[in-house]
Amino acid sequence: MEWILRTEAGFWNPLMLFVSLVIIIGLVYLIRSFGEKKYKKGTEQTRYFFSGAPAPKGIKVSDIYWGFFVHMDTYYKWLKRLHTGVVNEYVYWFILTLTVILIILTLGDLL
Amino acid sequence: MINLFFKILLMPLIALIGIVVGLFYKGIDRILVARMQSRVGPPIIQPFLDVKKLLIKENIVPNHAVKWIFNLMPVIALSSSIVILLYLPLGGIEPLLEGHGDVLLVLYLFIFPTLALVLGGFSSGSPYANIGAGREIIKFMSYELPLAVVVISIVWLLSSVNIENIFSLSVISSNPPWTLVGPAGFMGLLLLFLILLFVMPGELGLVPFDAPQAESEIAGGILAEYSGRNLALFYLADAVKTIAVESLIIALFLPWGLSKLLGLSGEFGLLIDTLFFLAKLFVLTFVGSTFIRVAVARFRINQVIYVYWTHCLLIALCGLVLVGVDVAL
């Protein structure tokens, strides 16, 4: 039984990928086993490093996204403007996107 | 079945070669950077000594870390980096898993070390690691698009000249794209090659795209809380990924061997091709890593997005158009 999955021109073998991952993970765990396992639990060294400043309290899980909001600010402002909350406009966007995709597919077929 | 068994036996050998060559080139990179900065630099075996030192250090797990993810991600990062090597042609040797995966699979596999790094950072429970992980995933989203454009351009060029199995890395490396195009296509390929050289430091987290690990700003970022054997695994993953990225660039744009030119075959031809492959690795390490690292400063993360999504993407698309025009003519 052939395990290779093929498309028009591409191919891959998920079983071989899985087998190779398992073997390499085993090898990596072997390398890891040569390392020191122990550390001093519950001491100063297990507190996270914050340049010596007191650890900030009450960091929420939503703060994880702070970096994205700050660095992609322009993109998020544009997205927020698009989200008017009016259902009709979302339907128009859907139809517009579908139209563009259909045009691309049709042109692709024709060419 | 015997063939499969033989391949499974060779996997640890490829892993070992990837690790040793990766660390060796890291050592060369550090010496060259030091000399370019008028310093003496460490010995060439310094990366090996670093790994040895890290393995004897304590493996501290922070109080607020998600322990199982924190410990698992370094393993995933190194494992996935090594598995990528199994699908790439190395020197004059065909990929070990030839016929079991194409270039698209390799592109997907490049995601895993990055994701492992990001998840490791988020699981650290540290504000610095949090910031670094957020930056890393933003950087990843930025460089994937120009990278995809470059790879698809090469594959599309091969399909337009009616070559079969266009996604196979053996076929790609057997058909250097430069020999398939005229002047316009040559310019296009040159632009695509330059963009891939620019994606390389982003993929590897090198200056000017090392905002996620900014040592002077966020104290190491993603890896701030990692130590001991976990940090050693991430260090090894970085070394192996360097070889993987450079091998991909060589397979796409610089696949020639010297053995055919010199009329050599057999073991001696293989040796010459391997040495030539190592020389190409050195050139790519110098251009993509050493020189850029010494010459420029670090980009801010918003500048990284701007550079990849506007400049690099536009240039890559221009390259694609030039190749398309050449094929049409």
Side-chain angles (χ1 to χ4, degrees):
Chain A
M1 180 183 173
E2 200 192 51
W3 289 87
I4 298 177
L5 303 173
R6 298 182 190 277
T7 58
E8 285 260 339
F11 55 91
W12 73 299
N13 187 340
L15 180 65
M16 204 62 203
L17 177 62
F18 177 73
V19 166
S20 53
L21 266 172
V22 164
I23 292 168
I24 299 299
I25 285 175
L27 177 67
V28 169
Y29 264 114
L30 179 64
I31 297 173
R32 190 172 182 265
S33 68
F34 290 123
E36 174 61 47
K37 299 178 195 36
K38 294 179 190 163
Y39 66 100
K40 301 177 197 69
K41 292 181 191 176
T43 59
E44 190 68 29
Q45 66 178 199
T46 56
R47 290 176 58 193
Y48 59 73
F49 176 69
F50 202 55
S51 302
K57 290 198 170 83
I59 296 180
K60 302 183 290 295
V61 168
S62 58
D63 291 339
I64 283 175
Y65 297 105
W66 169 83
F68 296 97
F69 292 140
V70 165
H71 297 308
M72 300 174 76
D73 187 49
T74 317
Y75 172 65
Y76 279 117
K77 277 184 184 156
W78 173 73
L79 267 186
K80 274 186 184 174
R81 276 202 303 271
L82 288 181
H83 285 71
T84 57
V86 177
V87 173
N88 295 5
E89 293 200 12
Y90 290 113
V91 174
Y92 294 149
W93 275 112
F94 175 73
I95 293 171
L96 179 68
T97 311
L98 198 58
T99 310
V100 168
I101 291 171
L102 285 172
I103 291 173
I104 292 171
L105 287 174
T106 312
L107 282 175
D109 268 338
L110 288 173
L111 291 172
Chain B
M1 202 65 189
I2 295 172
N3 194 18
L4 180 65
F5 183 67
F6 190 60
K7 284 183 183 183
I8 289 172
L9 280 183
L10 281 178
M11 284 179 193
L13 179 62
I14 298 284
L16 187 63
I17 291 172
I19 288 171
V20 168
V21 172
L23 290 176
F24 179 67
Y25 276 94
K26 254 189 172 321
I28 293 176
D29 174 57
R30 284 175 73 169
I31 289 178
L32 288 175
V33 165
R35 298 294 163 90
M36 288 168 81
Q37 291 173 340
S38 301
R39 295 183 288 114
V40 174
I44 203 165
I45 60 165
Q46 186 63 41
F48 296 91
L49 300 174
D50 287 344
V51 171
K52 184 184 168 191
K53 178 195 73 177
L54 285 170
L55 286 174
I56 62 175
K57 294 283 186 184
E58 286 177 329
N59 183 42
I60 300 165
V61 179
N63 289 334
H64 296 281
V66 181
K67 195 171 178 182
W68 70 275
I69 300 179
F70 187 84
N71 285 321
L72 180 62
M73 286 307 121
V75 174
I76 298 294
L78 180 55
S79 308
S80 49
S81 301
I82 292 172
V83 164
I84 296 171
L85 283 183
L86 303 178
Y87 290 95
L88 292 169
L90 303 170
I93 308 167
E94 294 290 322
L96 185 68
L97 296 182
E98 165 63 20
H100 295 280
D102 56 11
V103 69
L104 287 182
L105 178 65
V106 169
L107 281 187
Y108 280 123
L109 288 176
F110 269 114
I111 295 171
F112 283 93
T114 308
L115 272 186
L117 202 56
V118 167
L119 287 173
F122 279 133
S123 71
S124 299
S126 156
Y128 285 146
N130 228 335
I131 293 171
R135 288 181 181 184
E136 179 71 32
I137 206 155
I138 287 170
K139 185 185 65 159
F140 165 74
M141 288 193 296
S142 308
Y143 68 64
E144 274 299 303
L145 198 46
L147 174 63
V149 169
V150 170
V151 172
I152 295 303
S153 303
I154 300 295
V155 168
W156 180 73
L157 172 63
L158 292 180
S159 76
S160 60
V161 293
N162 299 319
I163 290 172
E164 289 185 358
N165 282 334
I166 49 174
F167 286 106
S168 164
L169 273 159
S170 290
V171 170
I172 292 172
S173 57
S174 306
N175 295 282
W178 312 95
T179 58
L180 303 171
V181 294
F186 187 88
M187 285 304 303
L189 285 176
L190 204 57
L191 291 176
L192 293 170
F193 182 50
L194 283 172
I195 292 304
L196 202 51
L197 284 180
F198 220 58
V199 165
M200 180 179 141
E203 182 89 53
L204 300 173
L206 301 169
V207 174
F209 302 107
D210 67 337
Q213 287 94 14
E215 286 88 5
S216 51
E217 189 192 353
I218 49 173
I222 291 179
L223 301 177
E225 297 301 327
Y226 276 98
S227 58
R229 56 186 186 171
N230 283 339
L231 185 57
L233 292 184
F234 271 128
Y235 192 81
L236 290 172
D238 182 55
V240 173
K241 198 178 169 190
T242 305
I243 301 302
V245 170
E246 291 175 2
S247 299
L248 179 64
I249 296 175
I250 290 170
L252 289 173
F253 286 101
L254 307 168
W256 299 281
L258 274 184
S259 60
K260 277 184 188 165
L261 192 69
L262 299 174
L264 300 166
S265 60
E267 290 86 12
F268 199 55
L270 185 62
L271 177 65
I272 295 294
D273 279 343
T274 305
L275 290 173
F276 190 48
F277 176 76
L278 293 175
K280 284 187 276 189
L281 283 180
F282 170 75
V283 169
L284 285 175
T285 302
F286 181 76
V287 171
S289 168
T290 311
F291 180 75
I292 293 181
R293 185 145 71 111
V294 172
V296 301
R298 182 185 303 136
F299 283 134
R300 287 198 315 269
I301 191 64
N302 57 318
Q303 289 172 328
V304 169
I305 302 168
Y306 182 72
V307 161
Y308 276 131
W309 276 2
T310 54
H311 300 298
C312 288
L313 185 60
L314 279 174
I315 294 172
L317 288 172
C318 287
L320 175 61
V321 165
L322 281 170
V323 168
V325 163
D326 189 88
V327 166
L329 292 174

